Amino acid sequence: PSKALGLQGCVNDAFLLADLLKDHYNFEPHNVKVLHDMYIWSKKSDRVAEEDNSTRYNIQKGMEWLIADAKPGDVLFFSFSGYGIQVDEHPHGFA
């Protein structure tokens, strides 16, 4: 990917997927959460609200939110858009 664009395509994909869930699969907007660290096509200085930022803490909280009220028959959906690397397991269970 271009360094000039960074991961804007991944952020765009995440928002497009959220729209697909809401518009075509009838997910209620309050049941769809997108964590991201930038706004599409904006300046790097434009800050994402802390609660929407894709920090480790927010990702963990988001996973807890996702399963908190889950019942048999519910549909849960998780997706990741971005770069990833494999890290050897940390002795305490986290990297």
Side-chain angles (χ1 to χ4, degrees):
S2 166
K3 287 188 178 191
L5 296 178
L7 293 176
Q8 289 179 346
C10 297
V11 174
N12 188 52
D13 290 348
F15 280 102
L16 288 173
L17 189 52
D19 288 343
L20 179 74
L21 291 172
K22 293 181 282 188
D23 298 341
H24 296 284
Y25 293 100
N26 300 317
F27 279 62
E28 294 293 329
H30 67 275
N31 288 329
V32 177
K33 182 180 297 236
V34 176
L35 298 177
H36 55 102
D37 61 357
M38 63 182 299
Y39 291 104
I40 305 165
W41 311 117
S42 69
K43 300 176 200 166
K44 288 184 179 181
S45 61
D46 292 341
R47 295 281 180 197
V48 172
E50 184 58 37
E51 65 271 12
D52 295 330
N53 203 327
S54 53
T55 63
R56 179 187 178 108
Y57 176 81
N58 284 347
I59 292 168
Q60 288 174 326
K61 287 296 184 190
M63 295 301 285
E64 292 170 8
W65 168 83
L66 182 64
I67 64 170
D69 297 320
K71 301 179 292 296
D74 285 352
V75 174
L76 306 180
F77 183 86
F78 173 83
S79 177
F80 170 80
S81 296
Y83 292 130
I85 60 170
Q86 184 172 344
V87 179
D88 292 333
E89 187 174 333
H90 189 276
H92 299 291
F94 53 87

